[in-house]
Amino acid sequence: MGDSDSTARSDASIALRELAWLIHRHAPERAGVGPIPTTEIALLKQVIDNPGSTIGELATALGLLQPNVSTAIRVLEQRGFVERRKSESDRRVSRIVATDSGIVEHQAISDGWARPVDRALASLTPDQRAALEGAADALDALQAYLRQRLADD
């Protein structure tokens, strides 16, 4: 691999970091519930995607500390977005599931984040949009790799 490969990789890494930060800073505020920290948004999405996860499983999946996840889940419970259910096989274990309100809230937040990105995508040239759409599979693979790698570290 030459220097141009390293530079391209570095440029992509920087562009992805800057894009993630820009989107992250503009988390939509929802009427009636106030701003929701991105950790809680990430946890809510993880619970929706993996219903019945334990606190430990959620912490591992997101690379967070268990006490931080417990605190954030308590807040999401107070907001009515998740609930704890006792495990069928071991009543000492609580499983976290999203409520209907949590699912609706997450969809609204996702839509709120998507709107400015969709507007930005519409402002690009057709070739630029095609390049980004063509990269979607690679970006998904990158996310999966990083999520696994960060969970292992």
Side-chain angles (χ1 to χ4, degrees):
M1 251 189 251
D3 284 341
S4 63
D5 289 341
S6 296
T7 301
R9 256 195 333 268
S10 177
D11 289 348
S13 296
I14 291 168
L16 287 169
R17 182 195 69 217
E18 294 297 322
L19 181 60
W21 176 243
L22 180 64
I23 292 169
H24 171 85
R25 283 191 339 204
H26 295 283
E29 186 170 322
R30 296 273 296 136
V33 296
I36 299 175
T38 53
T39 299
E40 291 172 21
I41 294 170
L43 276 167
L44 182 56
K45 181 178 185 329
Q46 188 69 22
V47 168
I48 290 168
D49 291 347
N50 300 281
S53 295
T54 65
I55 295 290
E57 290 166 345
L58 293 169
T60 298
L62 294 175
L64 299 171
L65 298 174
Q66 267 188 294
N68 296 352
V69 171
S70 291
T71 300
I73 290 295
R74 262 193 308 279
V75 172
L76 289 171
E77 277 184 293
Q78 291 166 353
R79 291 177 184 248
F81 297 155
V82 300
E83 61 187 26
R84 294 174 197 254
R85 294 187 183 156
K86 293 292 181 189
S87 170
E88 297 288 323
S89 59
D90 184 346
R91 304 300 287 169
R92 297 171 295 172
V93 175
S94 291
R95 302 280 178 186
I96 312 301
V97 296
T99 63
D100 289 343
S101 294
I103 293 167
V104 167
E105 184 66 20
H106 185 266
Q107 187 58 54
I109 290 167
S110 294
D111 291 347
W113 261 332
R115 273 191 297 281
V117 174
D118 288 343
R119 282 193 300 270
L121 287 170
S123 75
L124 300 177
T125 67
D127 287 345
Q128 290 169 326
R129 279 193 306 275
L132 287 172
E133 289 166 5
D137 286 343
L139 291 170
D140 287 343
L142 178 62
Q143 177 189 359
Y145 174 84
L146 288 171
R147 186 175 296 251
Q148 181 62 46
R149 181 71 184 224
L150 295 174
D152 291 344
D153 287 346

